[in-house]
Structures are given as C-alpha cells and as structure tokens.
Amino acid sequence: MITVSSLKHLRIHFSLFLMPVFFFALAITPNLQELRILWVFLSLHLFLYPSSNAYNSFYDQDEESIGGLKTPPKVTPDLFWLSLLFFALAIFIGLQINWQFASMVLLYGLVSMAYSHPGIRIKKYPWASWFIAGFFQGYFTFAMAYVGLSDLTWTSLLKPHVIIPGMLTSMMLWGSYPLTQVYQHREDSKRGDLTLSLKLGIKGTFFFSNLWFILTGIAFIGYFISKNQQEIIWVYLGAMAPIILYFLLWFSFVRTNPEKYANYSWAMGMNTISALFLNAFFIYYFFENTQILQVFGY
C-alpha cells in the first residue's frame, strides 16, 4: 500500500526547477505537435523526475531538509516500488512518441539511480557527481526533450543546433547545482558523501557558482548574437537580474555567517526565483523564436 509519506517524497512540485530546460528545447523545436508536447511534458515532469526523487530519497534516507521538503517524512519500503512504478510510466509514455525517446528516458533514469544506489553511488565523488548531474539534467535532458518534441532519433544528439543550446543548459546547472548542497553538509558527511560543495566549503561553493554564472551569461549572450537575436539579450539580462541580485544578497550574508545563512530557506529561495524568471524568459523566447502567436493573429 502506498503511504502519504511516499507520495510526498515524489516531490512533483520540484519539477518546476527543471522546466526551463523543457521550455528552451520547445523554443527551438522546428516540428511542434500538440500531443507530443503533452507526452514529453508528462513523461519528464510528472513521472521521470518524481521517480528519480523518490528513488534517491529511498537510498539516502534523509532525516534533514532536502530539495522541496523542509521536513521529509520517514522513508517506508513502498517508496522503492513507487519510484519504479513512476519510472515505468515515464518510459511507457515515452513509447507513445518513439522508442528512441523512451530509451533516453530509460538511460536518464538509470544514471539517476546510479547517483544514489549504494553499489555505485556517484554522489560520493565530488567532481564526477557535479559533472554528471549537470550534464544529464542539462544537455542530455535538453536533447531528450528536443528528440521527443520533434519525433527524432539518437542522431540528433550530435547535431550542433542541439549540442550548443544543450551545453548552455548544462552550464546553468553546473553553476547552480553546488548551491543546492550548501545546507546539506552535515547530512552528507554523516552518510560519507563527499559532495562538491562539501569539498569546496560554503564560501568556496559561492565563489565557484559565481564564476559559472558569469561564464553562462557570456555564453548565452554569444549564442543570441550568433542567432542574430540581439534584442533577446536585453530580455535575458532582465530575467537574470533578480536572480543575480538574490544570489549576491545571499552571498553577502553567507560571508558574514556561513553556518547561519547557508540554509534550506535561502537555497530554496534561490531555486524558486531562478525557476520563475528562467521559465518566464524561455516561454517568452518560445513565442519569439517560433512566432507561433502570428498563427492566432497576434
């Protein structure tokens, strides 16, 4: 029997934080079709990501705050089977598009399992876990969504028009991912997981993320210039402004008292404001890049 606590560990609302990748892929997809958009969205955001959340929670056995749950409920055995059920449903929905997309969903799920499974536990290795998490939640997810939205194949992953924006999303993740770990140092240490944030230290994590935010901003500006979309740059900078201001404010507090301010509330605030403004930007970019509103006379 599925318990309420297990349903909470799915953290379906946490999918909001990965939606910018989906909307970015949607913005450059040349062959849009309503049903495929629905299938991809449901497969990834309603089933695949929650499946990963539940599976990781089952093996992490978190007792302190985790992403999307300030006070996680006790993990029960049914959580493992619930995570596999959601994983199977994600793959099944993916098959409604094609087997290539479904196999990408399968690969993403297996890598996510390897991240926390005690037999492999990628999370124990600071640089490997940072790179793999950013690569798969960024570039690979972007490419996977692009393939599903357009009913394409694995060969699309090697196309420059997929690789370049896909790597931009990975750069975003490589900057923000360590910040999601700054409040979990005690829990990670207790489990023996040497995360990148734990290795860098709290202040080191902020300096590291700041560097990646600068590189990501420069890369996105270069991308829009290469597409002859200079006017989009100002919209992008406008969307990034509140995110950077929040980060700098948080960083200023952390520098005075790392233990006090490197906490769950500030980290989730960073995630939330980033998701809201990046989602808004990429939805705007979708309308501008596809000019889909012209179909409706706008």
Side-chain angles (χ1 to χ4, degrees), residues 53-127:
N53 293 336
Y55 191 89
N56 291 335
S57 287
F58 178 79
Y59 280 106
D60 286 349
Q61 296 287 315
D62 290 296
E63 297 177 355
E64 298 182 12
S65 300
I66 54 176
L69 285 177
K70 188 172 185 178
T71 53
K74 184 177 177 59
V75 172
T76 53
D78 63 295
L79 182 60
F80 176 80
W81 300 108
L82 181 63
S83 71
L84 294 186
L85 173 62
F86 267 61
F87 187 28
L89 289 172
I91 296 171
F92 175 76
I93 292 174
L95 285 170
Q96 308 312 303
I97 298 175
N98 61 37
W99 71 264
Q100 288 94 339
F101 175 69
S103 64
M104 292 177 187
V105 172
L106 173 64
L107 178 59
Y108 180 101
L110 292 176
V111 171
S112 179
M113 290 176 177
Y115 185 81
S116 59
H117 192 279
I120 304 174
R121 202 156 181 85
I122 296 171
K123 192 176 181 179
K124 293 191 300 185
Y125 309 100
W127 290 106

Side-chain angles (χ1 to χ4, degrees), residues 2 76 121 137 178 184 275:
I2 297 174
T76 53
R121 202 156 181 85
Q137 291 185 356
Q184 295 179 314

Side-chain angles (χ1 to χ4, degrees), residues 2 7 9-15 18-19 38-55 79 81-94 96 101 105-106 108-109 112-113 144:
I2 297 174
L7 292 174
H9 274 290
L10 289 170
R11 290 176 279 159
I12 294 176
H13 62 286
F14 201 70
S15 293
L18 289 174
M19 282 184 190
L38 178 63
W39 286 141
V40 172
F41 184 84
L42 291 178
S43 177
L44 300 185
H45 290 278
L46 188 59
F47 293 104
L48 181 60
Y49 300 149
S51 166
S52 297
N53 293 336
Y55 191 89
L79 182 60
W81 300 108
L82 181 63
S83 71
L84 294 186
L85 173 62
F86 267 61
F87 187 28
L89 289 172
I91 296 171
F92 175 76
I93 292 174
Q96 308 312 303
F101 175 69
V105 172
L106 173 64
Y108 180 101
S112 179
M113 290 176 177
M144 176 168 57

